[in-house]
Amino acid sequence: MAMPEQAQERVPVRTILTTIGLVLATALVLLLIYEVRRVLVWIVIAVFFAVALYPVVNWVQQRVARHRWLATLLVFLVVVLVLGGLGAVFAVPLAQEGTAFASQLPALVADARAGRGPIGELLVRVHALQFVEQHQDRIGGFAANLGTSALSFASGIVNGIVATVTVFILAYLIVLQGPLIVGGTLALLSPQYARRIRQVGRECTKTITGYLSGNLLISLICGLLTYAVLAIVGVPFAGLIALFVAIADLIPLIGATLGALVAAVAGFVHSVQAGIVVIIFFVVYQQLENHLLQPVILSRTVRLNPLAVLVAILIAAELAGILGALLAIPAAGILQVISRDIWEHHHRRRVEPEPVT
């Protein structure tokens, strides 16, 4: 006689409802993150700069101002003045070159239509005038849509200003309230773990500060050298082009190539000899930057292997675009600091002898 099969154990209704609730809660959180992704990006950037300025504010508070709010205010005022000073340094030559370009624009257009001058000769060589004549209808349709593009561009400028102001205010408040936040969080932990987290935090701060200062220094060097080369070969609007190259050089992977492309085009428009000189300069400079400047800075600050840097930038750029590429190196440095601390702590626990009872 066969034994009756044992009834299958049923899953409790409470477990099913809990699982459904967790799935729905996860989906709701992901949806919320997607909806506020722009604000989250602002917060990430603000935290990034706040961490970089945090030790500076601490130093000012210890040496200059006793009050936290005064030290934070002084540091951020200095940042604003430095940025304003850099803008003023570039504003005067850019305004002069912009005025000169506006006055020369009618003559340049007339020469281009007649096939005269460097621009006209270039247009003739690439058969650009014939292309314009053959595609006048399409060009007219494109020009008709420039109004919508202009509105989008203006909206982007407004959003950029709002984002900049918001990030600045967030970074200011994070630095101002930093000691309270850190102290309150570490008070919940044991003294041993609190000391360990403080040490890791200091190392992470050094990584971010070193990356920012080093990247700005490299871009400044690139901009100054570009301006010198363009001015020597006589390329017009050298200050404007050098400023664009310096800003583009802040973007990993594609920034230097983009800046070099714009400068090379401007050089060839001026003359073939100038274009060749500009290309040679950027080829040599990129080798110096990739094999001398960046390794020296990274070895002293972020302390990352060049292969690890490249892999981090590629992965971060794929996940988060330009923002990911900008934050890839300091993020990889922070992960390296945390991993090293975990490994050393684990190794120390293994080699330390157990106390004899």
Side-chain angles (χ1 to χ4, degrees), residues 11-20:
V11 180
V13 177
R14 182 176 181 180
T15 303
I16 297 176
L17 294 178
T18 302
T19 304
I20 296 175

Side-chain angles (χ1 to χ4, degrees), residues 53-129:
L53 294 176
Y54 193 84
V56 181
V57 174
N58 290 340
W59 185 87
V60 173
Q61 184 178 3
Q62 295 173 1
R63 304 290 181 86
V64 180
R66 297 179 57 185
H67 300 286
R68 182 73 180 184
W69 67 269
L70 181 57
T72 306
L73 181 62
L74 290 176
V75 171
F76 275 79
L77 283 178
V78 170
V79 171
V80 172
L81 291 176
V82 169
L83 294 178
L86 292 176
V89 168
F90 283 105
V92 175
L94 289 181
Q96 294 175 350
E97 293 181 354
T99 303
F101 177 76
S103 62
Q104 298 174 9
L105 185 59
L108 292 175
V109 173
D111 290 342
R113 289 178 176 177
R116 298 190 303 267
I119 298 179
E121 294 176 358
L122 178 64
L123 294 178
V124 171
R125 286 198 299 266
V126 300
H127 305 287
L129 296 178

Side-chain angles (χ1 to χ4, degrees), residues 119-147:
I119 298 179
E121 294 176 358
L122 178 64
L123 294 178
V124 171
R125 286 198 299 266
V126 300
H127 305 287
L129 296 178
Q130 292 85 342
F131 178 83
V132 172
E133 293 177 356
Q134 295 174 2
H135 299 83
Q136 289 183 357
D137 296 336
R138 293 183 181 180
I139 296 175
F142 174 77
N145 295 326
L146 288 180

Side-chain angles (χ1 to χ4, degrees), residues 159-198:
N159 291 333
I161 295 175
V162 173
T164 302
V165 174
T166 303
V167 168
F168 187 85
I169 295 175
L170 285 173
Y172 176 84
L173 294 177
I174 292 173
V175 174
L176 181 63
Q177 301 296 327
L180 296 178
I181 298 173
V182 174
T185 303
L186 296 181
L188 302 175
L189 305 175
S190 63
Q192 179 182 359
Y193 282 105
R195 288 193 301 270
R196 181 181 171 189
I197 292 176
R198 285 185 183 275

Side-chain angles (χ1 to χ4, degrees), residues 160-306:
I161 295 175
V162 173
T164 302
V165 174
T166 303
V167 168
F168 187 85
I169 295 175
L170 285 173
Y172 176 84
L173 294 177
I174 292 173
V175 174
L176 181 63
Q177 301 296 327
L180 296 178
I181 298 173
V182 174
T185 303
L186 296 181
L188 302 175
L189 305 175
S190 63
Q192 179 182 359
Y193 282 105
R195 288 193 301 270
R196 181 181 171 189
I197 292 176
R198 285 185 183 275
Q199 179 63 30
V200 173
R202 284 193 291 267
E203 294 296 327
C204 293
T205 301
K206 290 180 181 179
T207 298
I208 296 177
T209 305
Y211 170 74
L212 279 178
S213 58
N215 209 15
L216 289 174
L217 179 60
I218 292 175
S219 297
L220 178 61
I221 294 173
C222 181
L224 292 176
L225 292 178
T226 302
Y227 176 78
V229 171
L230 295 178
I232 291 174
V233 297
V235 176
F237 317 111
L240 179 61
I241 299 172
L243 176 61
F244 175 80
V245 171
I247 295 175
D249 194 59
L250 294 172
I251 305 174
L253 289 182
I254 63 172
T257 304
L258 181 61
L261 179 62
V262 172
V265 170
F268 277 109
V269 169
H270 178 66
S271 67
V272 177
Q273 294 81 0
I276 295 175
V277 171
V278 171
I279 290 180
I280 294 175
F281 160 73
F282 275 103
V283 170
V284 175
Y285 173 77
Q286 285 302 311
Q287 296 301 317
L288 293 176
E289 180 179 306
N290 295 333
H291 297 91
L292 179 62
L293 294 179
Q294 288 186 354
V296 169
I297 293 173
L298 293 179
S299 63
R300 296 183 178 181
T301 56
V302 186
R303 297 179 182 178
L304 280 177
N305 184 276

